[in-house]
Amino acid sequence: MAGEDEKGKGTAKTGAEAPRKLDRREVLAGLSTVPALGLFGYAWNRQRQYQQARVQAASAAPVASADLQVINVGLLGAGAQGQVLTDAMLRIPGLRFRAVCDVWTEYNQKRVVNQLGKFKHEVRGYVDYREMLDKEKELDAVVIATPDFWHSPHAVACLEAGKHVYCEKEMSNTLEGARAMVAAARETGKLLQIGHQRRSNPRYLHCYQRLLGEAKLLGRIVTVSGQWNRAVAADLGAPARYAIPDARLRQYGFKDMHQFRNWRWYKGLGGGPIVDLGSHQIDIYTWFLGANPSQVMASGGQLYYDSKTHEWYDTVMAVYDYDTPAGPVKAYYQTQTTNGSQGYFENFMGDQGTLLISESETYGAKLYRDPNAPAWDTWVQKGYVTAPKVQEMKEKTEGAVLDVRESVSPDEHKVPVVLGDPYHQPHLQNFFDAVRGKAKLNCPAEIGYESAVSVLKVNEAIEAKSPLSFKPEDFHS
Ligand SMILES: NC(=O)c1ccc[n+]([C@@H]2O[C@H](COP(=O)([O-])OP(=O)(O)OC[C@H]3O[C@@H](n4cnc5c(N)ncnc54)[C@H](O)[C@@H]3O)[C@@H](O)[C@H]2O)c1
C-alpha cells in the first residue's frame, strides 16, 4: 500500500529532549521481550504460556449420571480455538474423545492428544480428516476448529459420513462453501451447529428474551453500534524444530509456515478482522433486531500492517441499514487492530433505553433508562435488572459555562447474569444436548448462513466503494 512504510516517521525530531514518535516497525519490535528469539519467539512464547495455562486450568468432567448417553467425539483442528473448545468439553459430562485430527503433528496434534490422555481419553491422532472418518466409525460428532477455508470441505465430509457437526465461525470464507454445508446438513439429517457462542450465553439470552422480548426496556431500537478494538500484535510464528514439511503444507493449502500460522489475514483462507471478530457481533445485531440487513456500506484498508502478509483490511468501519418489524435502524460496526482501547461490546439504543452488552466481563451488560421512559421498578423487583446507580450531577468545573440544554445522563442498571463457565461451554452443551435429542440448536446452519451473508458482504462493499444492498432471498440457503 502506497506510503504505508512512511507512516509515523515524519514528525520525529532528533535529540534527547524531543521524545521521538515510534514508527510501526519499532512498535512491533518493541513487543519482543525476548530479543534473542525475535518477534516469532515472542508470539510463540505468549501463545505457549496461554495454552499451558489453559491446559492446567482444564478440569475433569463431573461424573456423568448412569443414564446419560455417551457421545463419541472427534476434534478436527487442534490449534488455539481447538484447545479452548477441548478445555470446555472436558467440563461437560458424557463425552468420550476418540480422535484428534490436525495436520500439525509436530506440535498442536501432539499437545491435545497428550492432554486428553491425561484425562483418560484414549484418542488416536490423524493428519487427514478422510482417514479419520474412514477409521473412526464410532464417532457420533466432530467438532471443527480448522481455518475458515477448510470448514466447508470438513463439515460436508463429516456430515456425509453420518456425524453431527459443531463447526466454528465464520461458517465458511465463501457463500458457496456455506451453502454446501447447509445442503449437506439437510440431506443427511445430521445436526450442524455454527460456533457463534453468544447465542447460548445466558447473559445474551437473558437480554434477548427478558429485557428486549418480554419487558421491551429499550422501546423502539433506532441505532446500534459496536466494536472490537485490538492492540498491535506481532505475527504468529513457530520455532524451526516444529516446522511442517513443505509438501504437507502445500497439500493442505498453505504456501509456507508464515501463511499457515497467520491464515486469517490471507485472501482465500480467512476474511480478516471483520470476519474473524466482527462476525460474532454482527450476528448479535441481526439476532436482537430480528431482521437481516437491507444494505451495507463500508470503508476499510491496510492502514498499518504490511499488505504483503496482511492481505485483508486491518481497519474496517461499516454501516448497515435494517428494516425491522418496528421500523428502520442504522447500525455501525468498527474493528481495528492497532489499539485495544475499550475492547469489544455491542450497544443498542432505543427511544426508552440503551443496552451495552459484551461477552467480556469488562462490560458485562448495563442498561440505561432514558428519563422519559416508564419506570422499571417491576423489572428491578423481578430481578431482571439491578436497582439503578443514580448518576451524580457533576459539580461545576471552575471556569466552565453551564448549559441548561445539556442532556442528563441516564441512570445505570446492571444485568445480574454472569457466565461462570468458559465462554464456549454453553454453546457446546447446547450442541450435545441436541445430539441427545434434548434441545434445539441455538445456531443451526441456516442462522450461520444468514450471518455469513451479512458479514462477508462488508469486504465486498469496501472494494466496491459504494453501498451494496441485500435482497431478502440472499439470506435463503
Ligand atoms: N468462536 C470463537 O470465539 C473463536 C475464537 C477463535 C477462533 N475461532 C475459529 O476457530 C477456527 C480456528 O482458529 P484458530 O485460532 O484455532 O486457528 P489456528 O491456526 O490456531 O488453528 C487451526 C488448526 O487447524 C489445523 N489445520 C489446518 N488445516 C487443517 C486441515 N486441513 N486438516 C486438519 N487440521 C488442519 C492447524 O494445524 C491448526 O492446528 C477458525 O475458524 C476461527 O475463526 C473461533
Side-chain angles (χ1 to χ4, degrees), residues 154-217:
H154 282 161
V156 169
C158 292
L159 291 163
E160 285 177 351
K163 317 300 172 199
H164 300 293
V165 171
Y166 180 105
C167 181
E168 264 306 341
K169 51 49 68 181
E170 188 61 88
M171 184 172 183
S172 171
N173 62 326
T174 66
L175 290 184
E176 301 76 62
R179 266 196 299 274
M181 293 164 78
V182 181
R186 277 191 197 134
E187 279 157 24
T188 59
K190 293 291 162 186
L191 298 173
L192 174 55
Q193 168 103 306
I194 304 303
H196 289 289
Q197 72 273 5
R198 285 166 181 73
R199 292 216 176 221
S200 299
N201 182 313
R203 177 188 294 145
Y204 280 79
L205 285 165
H206 176 81
C207 290
Y208 177 71
Q209 292 165 347
R210 302 267 171 271
L211 308 188
L212 303 190
E214 184 187 340
K216 300 190 176 24
L217 293 188

Side-chain angles (χ1 to χ4, degrees), residues 296-300 316-319 457-459 461-463 465-467:
V296 64
M297 58 183 176
S299 174
V316 173
M317 296 174 180
V319 179
K457 197 82 151 188
V458 175
N459 279 336
I462 293 169
E463 216 165 300
K465 291 187 170 37
S466 65

Side-chain angles (χ1 to χ4, degrees), residues 76-82 101-104 108 127 145-148 150-151 154 168-170 195 197 252 254 260 263-264 276 280 424:
L76 178 40
Q81 183 64 4
C101 175
D102 196 295
V103 297
W104 200 4
N108 280 347
V127 175
T146 47
D148 296 2
W150 271 109
H151 289 177
H154 282 161
E168 264 306 341
K169 51 49 68 181
E170 188 61 88
Q197 72 273 5
Y252 291 100
F254 305 96
F260 168 74
W263 56 266
R264 301 172 146 70
D276 204 31
H280 285 295
H424 299 83

Side-chain angles (χ1 to χ4, degrees), residues 72-197:
N72 292 312
V73 179
L75 176 71
L76 178 40
Q81 183 64 4
Q83 179 72 65
V84 168
L85 296 177
T86 301
D87 295 345
M89 283 188 279
L90 280 169
R91 296 162 55 98
I92 297 177
L95 305 183
R96 188 191 295 136
F97 285 91
R98 305 300 294 252
V100 172
C101 175
D102 196 295
V103 297
W104 200 4
T105 50
E106 293 78 1
Y107 190 72
N108 280 347
Q109 188 198 104
K110 203 186 280 178
R111 190 191 67 245
V112 176
V113 168
N114 287 343
Q115 181 199 4
L116 289 171
K118 286 184 190 145
F119 288 100
K120 309 268 181 289
H121 292 270
E122 283 176 30
V123 284
R124 281 168 292 271
Y126 294 91
V127 175
D128 195 277
Y129 64 106
R130 288 159 293 208
E131 192 191 351
M132 176 179 79
L133 292 174
D134 209 34
K135 297 213 170 126
E136 299 287 340
K137 300 289 185 211
E138 287 181 21
L139 288 183
D140 300 304
V142 178
V143 172
I144 299 176
T146 47
D148 296 2
F149 74 109
W150 271 109
H151 289 177
S152 184
H154 282 161
V156 169
C158 292
L159 291 163
E160 285 177 351
K163 317 300 172 199
H164 300 293
V165 171
Y166 180 105
C167 181
E168 264 306 341
K169 51 49 68 181
E170 188 61 88
M171 184 172 183
S172 171
N173 62 326
T174 66
L175 290 184
E176 301 76 62
R179 266 196 299 274
M181 293 164 78
V182 181
R186 277 191 197 134
E187 279 157 24
T188 59
K190 293 291 162 186
L191 298 173
L192 174 55
Q193 168 103 306
I194 304 303
H196 289 289
Q197 72 273 5

Side-chain angles (χ1 to χ4, degrees), residues 263-289:
W263 56 266
R264 301 172 146 70
W265 290 101
Y266 286 88
K267 293 193 172 171
L269 279 64
I274 183 67
V275 175
D276 204 31
L277 307 174
S279 66
H280 285 295
Q281 298 165 287
I282 294 162
D283 180 58
I284 302 303
Y285 289 9
T286 301
W287 181 28
F288 279 17
L289 291 174

Side-chain angles (χ1 to χ4, degrees), residues 379-380 383-389 412-416:
W379 312 112
V380 173
Y384 284 17
V385 292
T386 62
K389 183 177 134 201
E412 178 185 299
H413 300 250
K414 288 206 168 65
V415 177

